Amino acid sequence: MFFRFFLLFYIVASCDNSNKTFFGGKILNPSSDKISLYVNDNLIDETKLNSDGSFEIIIDSINPGLFNFYHDPEFQYIILEKNDSLKIRLNTLDFDESLVYTGSGSGKNNFLMDVFLKSEQDEIFINSNLNLKIDQFKRLVDSLYTNQFNSFNTYLSENKISILSQDIINSAILYPYLSKFHSFIIRNNISSEEQSVLFEPYNSIIDFNSKSLGYFKPYIDFIYLDIYNRVKNEIKFNSVIDFNQKRLIKTDELISSNLVKERVLRFHAIGFLLQKQDDSINKSFLETFTKVSKNKILDEEIFNLYEKLKE
């Protein structure tokens, strides 16, 4: 009788845990007494660290995707999927470089972390070569991107991860390098005819409507810069305010995903208002912003920022 009861309890407990996701680990030299887990700027859970810097977060049910964990003042992106049991170990004295994942789901996240670190190194090198000729610069960026892309293909030949995780990592590789093309264009005032060469053969894989990347800053940075250069090249404008209004309109035309559109509009509006233009210019910008934006919560956030900056 006891055995049957124990077996039944075990089965029920196993079923209860079937959809749970675990995120935990240990933080050395903590800079805060807590760690927080977010998705799309929404707090999923928050817990205080134990005296030894360890913590545990158990999520009953999640939609798989790209998350953030925060340990003030730092944060990092992670991929979480159902049944992952992910543990981290990091030292805040060297946050990103010391971060290591173990447990179920660790492989994809360790690779993603390697992508971030390599991209940071490559960005420094690319920035020191922004004065190259356009063909030389393209070969440089293409080569660095291809190295990361080939490394990921090698990883995939030896490891099995979900299509979602593959898409996130591919995007984490792609968009920081494409953003450097835009930086080069702006820095060197490259003509629209020459610009098209830079983005070959990437055009077929660029996606302006990836909801899964709506809160991934490198992706939003790329779209923001892309729209900047599109308006600068394609549309005649008469003033700073005219240029920025047409960027808002181009954002609305180019992006169909409400989430991605809102994220780009928000980034643009905050950046513009922080320049503290004359009030008449800001009002004109906000008038166009509210015509383009379909999100009342976003409108309220931007208007509150406008009012605060006037103080």
Side-chain angles (χ1 to χ4, degrees), residues 1-184:
M1 181 68 180
F2 174 79
F3 176 76
R4 289 181 180 178
F5 175 79
F6 177 79
L7 181 60
L8 178 62
F9 175 81
Y10 176 80
I11 292 172
V12 171
S14 297
C15 292
D16 286 344
N17 289 325
S18 61
N19 291 321
K20 293 188 177 182
T21 301
F22 175 87
F23 175 59
K26 188 171 185 178
I27 298 177
L28 305 178
N29 299 303
S31 53
S32 169
D33 66 348
K34 62 186 178 181
I35 189 163
S36 310
L37 185 65
Y38 285 81
V39 62
N40 297 349
D41 281 355
N42 296 315
L43 179 64
I44 299 298
D45 204 342
E46 185 174 79
T47 186
K48 285 198 170 185
L49 302 180
N50 297 320
S51 59
D52 63 350
S54 63
F55 70 94
E56 290 185 0
I57 292 175
I58 298 176
I59 310 164
D60 290 333
S61 180
I62 66 167
N63 291 320
L66 194 62
F67 290 68
N68 307 97
F69 72 85
Y70 283 80
H71 180 66
D72 290 339
E74 302 279 1
F75 84 98
Q76 191 50 262
Y77 296 102
I78 56 172
I79 302 170
L80 282 177
E81 298 177 272
K82 187 175 70 172
N83 296 329
D84 278 352
S85 182
L86 189 65
K87 295 182 180 180
I88 67 169
R89 183 178 178 87
L90 66 85
N91 189 329
T92 62
L93 299 180
D94 201 10
F95 195 96
D96 289 344
E97 287 75 7
S98 69
L99 179 56
V100 176
Y101 300 95
T102 57
S104 174
S106 61
K108 63 197 175 193
N109 281 292
N110 279 319
F111 194 92
L112 181 64
M113 193 66 234
D114 288 344
V115 167
F116 292 147
L117 293 174
K118 183 65 165 59
S119 294
E120 287 178 0
Q121 294 173 359
D122 287 349
E123 181 178 18
I124 295 171
F125 180 57
I126 292 170
N127 287 343
S128 68
N129 285 279
L130 287 172
N131 60 342
L132 290 176
K133 294 181 178 179
I134 188 169
D135 57 333
Q136 296 173 323
F137 187 79
K138 177 171 174 55
R139 282 198 297 272
L140 170 64
V141 176
D142 285 351
S143 175
L144 294 172
Y145 165 76
T146 300
N147 287 341
Q148 285 247 50
F149 180 76
N150 289 341
S151 177
F152 186 41
N153 280 337
T154 299
Y155 173 83
L156 290 178
S157 69
E158 301 168 353
N159 300 272
K160 185 177 180 180
I161 62 174
S162 68
I163 296 298
L164 173 65
S165 294
Q166 291 181 41
D167 289 344
I168 291 173
I169 294 174
N170 271 319
S171 298
I173 294 171
L174 176 67
Y175 289 106
Y177 291 108
L178 295 188
S179 291
K180 300 317 296 182
F181 283 140
H182 282 303
S183 298
F184 180 79

Side-chain angles (χ1 to χ4, degrees), residues 174-182 199 202-203 206-208 216-230 264 267:
L174 176 67
Y175 289 106
Y177 291 108
L178 295 188
S179 291
K180 300 317 296 182
F181 283 140
H182 282 303
F199 293 97
Y202 303 104
N203 287 320
I206 294 173
D207 182 3
F208 289 93
F216 184 48
K217 189 175 183 300
Y219 174 66
I220 299 301
D221 286 345
F222 163 75
I223 297 179
Y224 176 83
L225 290 171
D226 188 277
I227 291 171
Y228 177 96
N229 279 323
R230 283 174 186 259
V264 176
F267 190 22

